[in-house]
Each structure stands twice: as structure tokens, then as C-alpha cells.
Amino acid sequence: MPDPTAAVLGELCEESDELDRLVRGADPERWARATPAPGWSVAHQIAHLAWTDAAALLAVTDPAAFAAEAAKALRAPDSFVDEGARDGARLPPAELLARWRTGREALRAALLAAPAGSRFPWYGPPMAAASLATARLMETWAHGRDVAEALGAVTGPTVRLRHIARLGVRTRDHAYGVRALPPPAEPFRVELTGPGGELWAYGPPDAPQRVTGPALDFCLLVTRRAHRADLAVRAQGPDADRWLDIAQAFAGPPGPDRAPRGPSPSGTGPDRAPGALSAPAPGPAPAPEALSAPGRAAGPAPRERA
């Protein structure tokens, strides 16, 4: 039986290599370019990935030391992510790139060597090796989108999006929980069109609450890399419709949406603008295990975690 951790790690390497190709050999001016995350340059984006890889490596190899670092994060929840990115972004580009490469390879080796069934501490619930690798793939893709936009590069969707799409579906109740909203009692049906026209389906086929659309647009939605109004993701049913307003596949508190800015990456946007949320209700749902580390917002919001 194929090792799921090794399979995801292989695709994480592919995603990292694609981003690596965008920044290798870039001059300092390009490393300093602003990205869609306010206050973050290309260097900040790569520094954040290197910082989070280092945190993940610590969680795998020294859980006690990771717990101490996580406690520091809890004492400064509004600044520790920015501080980690800022410190790394001060390095010369070649040194920062080397740090990211070394760290991601060390994490890959540590996860491959981890005993079967291992679970590691994280900023949310403990995570299995395959889940941690999936979270790193999702975050690498999301921050890679920011870098590509800053550099004017065009990156097409790949089958690796299926990991992010699945993560986005699995974290449905988490999106409600971080807003102190009660999650829907019934599962949804999610049907997405993959890059090659294939169908990626999740949930009961006969579920009345449904979400459909291009996989790329759904992944942009759940990583908060685009506003819902710019995406061709559609909902059938009031609960599914509400979810699309708040969906997020990453750990941490939500932030404001990006402002709408134009046509969908895959076609025309939905027929409606996102609606207002109802008043918060008590009883947040527990967060799923496969969540990324806290990160930086994709759009104008000052504080999302992705």
C-alpha cells in the first residue's frame, strides 16, 4: 500500500520547486516587491515559509521545544507571525533562499522518518505526518500565489490542488468555530472541476446543500486568496451559501475579505455578492487536525491566518 505521507511530500516538493523557480536568480528589487499581503514583500513571503517549516521541524523532532515556542506565540498572537517574516526578510536573498531550501528538505526527511501513526503538536490540534505535509503544501501554494502576483508570473492549476480542495472541505466546521457560529448539522455535497476537467466530489451525492465550481476557484476561496464575488464557486441551499462567505482552510482567527476586483480566474463570478453573517452564536466547533500554521492574509485584510 502506498505511503500517503511520502505521496503528499512528493507533491509538496513539486509545489516548492515551482515557487523556487520564480524567485531563484531574482535581483534584490524583485525580492523587495510588494505582494497582496499588506506590508509583505516577496522576501517576507519566503521568510514566512522558511519560518513555518522550521516550526514544523521542531514539532516533529522536539515536541517540548515546540511547546515552548507555541507558548511564546500565544503571548503575542498579533505580532509573532509578522516578526518571524520580518526577521527572515532582512537576510540577503541568497541566504534566505538557502535557509528555505535547507529547512524544507530537513522537514521532508523528518516526516519520512517518523514512525507510522505519529502525531505532532501544532498551533491547533495535533497532526499526523500526512496532515502536516498537506498543510505545508496548502500554505506553500497560497503564498506562492502572492509571490507570483507580485512578480507578474502566471502559474496554472495542477492536480496538486486536490489536496487543498480536500482540506478546504474537511475544515468546513472549523470556519464556523472560529467565528463562534454553530456549524450545519448535515454534510454538504461539494463537486469541483479539476484542472483536466475531472470531477472531484466530496460528501453524500444526495445532500441538498451543495457547492460546485472550478477546483482552482474553490482553493482560492478557502485560502482567502480571492474574494468570493470574483470566483465561479456557487452554492445551492442557504447553509452552503453561508459557508462560502466564511470558508477557510487555515488555522487562526478570520480577517476581512479581500475587496472584489474583477473577473473570476476560471470564468465569471457568482450571481450574488456575499451576504452578511448572522450574529455569533455560542458553542464553536472543534478545529480539524489538518490546518496550516498561522500566516499572512492574501488581500487587504490586516490580519488573516493562512
Side-chain angles (χ1 to χ4, degrees):
M1 181 176 179
D3 180 358
T5 301
V8 178
L9 284 170
E11 297 198 54
L12 171 58
C13 286
E14 293 173 5
E15 195 66 47
S16 299
D17 287 345
E18 184 171 314
L19 175 54
D20 196 307
R21 285 191 290 272
L22 289 180
V23 297
R24 72 180 62 164
D27 59 36
E29 181 276 329
R30 290 170 66 81
W31 278 85
R33 284 190 187 177
T35 69
W40 276 30
S41 65
V42 169
H44 284 84
Q45 299 282 353
I46 300 302
H48 173 70
L49 290 175
W51 176 85
T52 316
D53 283 341
L57 180 63
L58 196 63
V60 173
T61 59
D62 193 343
F66 174 81
E69 291 301 312
K72 294 179 184 177
L74 289 175
R75 291 194 292 270
D78 293 330
S79 61
F80 81 103
V81 170
D82 284 330
E83 289 170 359
R86 183 190 61 216
D87 291 345
R90 290 170 173 162
L91 297 173
E95 184 177 344
L96 174 56
L97 184 57
R99 175 179 292 187
W100 177 44
R101 289 170 173 170
T102 300
R104 72 189 199 231
E105 175 55 31
L107 177 59
R108 185 190 73 85
L111 287 172
L112 285 174
S118 297
R119 298 180 72 82
F120 311 107
W122 200 233
Y123 297 99
M127 298 174 69
S131 295
L132 187 55
T134 300
R136 299 307 306 129
L137 192 158
M138 183 266 285
E139 194 173 15
T140 301
W141 178 80
H143 288 283
R145 297 286 307 194
D146 295 341
V147 170
E149 185 168 340
L151 298 180
V154 177
T155 58
T158 73
V159 295
R160 296 189 294 272
L161 289 178
R162 71 187 187 278
H163 297 291
I164 303 167
R166 180 171 177 267
L167 185 58
V169 172
R170 291 183 62 202
T171 53
R172 185 199 72 170
D173 288 1
H174 167 72
Y176 288 84
V178 296
R179 293 166 173 81
L181 296 169
E186 302 299 326
F188 297 166
R189 176 71 169 181
V190 179
E191 295 183 353
L192 306 173
T193 304
E198 66 277 19
L199 176 66
W200 298 346
Y202 314 87
D206 59 349
Q209 303 286 329
R210 307 174 73 85
V211 168
T212 60
L216 171 60
D217 283 23
F218 181 77
C219 292
L220 290 169
L221 180 75
V222 299
T223 58
R224 306 294 285 273
R225 257 55 194 177
H227 192 283
R228 180 183 173 185
D230 294 330
L231 302 172
V233 182
R234 291 177 169 81
Q236 177 181 318
D239 290 340
D241 187 70
R242 188 188 207 193
W243 176 46
L244 294 188
D245 287 338
I246 64 173
Q248 67 176 64
F250 48 85
D257 289 329
R258 306 185 61 161
R261 66 180 191 175
S264 161
S266 302
T268 57
D271 298 330
R272 58 176 291 283
L277 298 177
S278 67
E289 69 164 24
L291 297 173
S292 80
R296 185 64 167 174
R303 185 70 52 184
E304 283 179 18
R305 307 295 189 196

